[in-house]
Amino acid sequence: QVQLVESGGGLVQPGGSLRLSCEASGTPFNIVVMAWYRQAPGKQRELVAGFTTLGTTNYGDFVKGRFTISRDNGKNTVRLQMNTLKPEDTAVYYCYAKFGGDFWGQGTQVTVSS
């Protein structure tokens, strides 16, 4: 059973930056598919950024070069560096892993407001 723990959310002003981290535990093996999703109130959960089965990355269209996903394979950790944040980025951000099943973290709140 894989457990995902996110950290790094908070309140930031428009134009600011945040870095989210997600650490997966519960397996000694490398988890290839890991990603970040987000869900704003009244909206569907959407992909922010992720690693595919091929190890490549993909991003939501709204990212437009502002966010960067990275990973530390030795620790099954993924990070999301978010720059030039906008109020519309406000959401709960969830870490996701696919490893014999779908696993989700508990979510971390990101609020972009002045």
Side-chain angles (χ1 to χ4, degrees), residues 11-52:
L11 172 65
V12 64
Q13 292 186 343
S17 298
L18 279 176
R19 189 173 77 163
L20 307 182
S21 293
C22 171
E23 184 170 351
S25 60
T27 175
F29 301 106
N30 182 44
I31 301 174
V32 177
V33 179
M34 294 187 72
W36 287 96
Y37 284 76
R38 72 183 188 183
Q39 188 166 20
K43 295 187 176 182
Q44 289 189 332
R45 193 170 295 190
E46 61 182 351
L47 174 70
V48 179
F51 289 95
T52 71

Side-chain angles (χ1 to χ4, degrees), residues 29-89:
F29 301 106
N30 182 44
I31 301 174
V32 177
V33 179
M34 294 187 72
W36 287 96
Y37 284 76
R38 72 183 188 183
Q39 188 166 20
K43 295 187 176 182
Q44 289 189 332
R45 193 170 295 190
E46 61 182 351
L47 174 70
V48 179
F51 289 95
T52 71
T53 55
L54 300 177
T56 58
T57 56
N58 56 6
Y59 292 88
D61 290 341
F62 57 86
V63 170
K64 299 186 186 300
R66 299 181 298 129
F67 300 173
T68 303
I69 190 170
S70 61
R71 68 187 310 160
D72 179 346
N73 285 331
K75 296 182 178 180
N76 276 337
T77 298
V78 290
R79 297 179 179 85
L80 183 68
Q81 177 67 42
M82 304 187 292
N83 299 324
T84 318
L85 283 160
K86 305 174 182 180
E88 51 264 43
D89 293 317

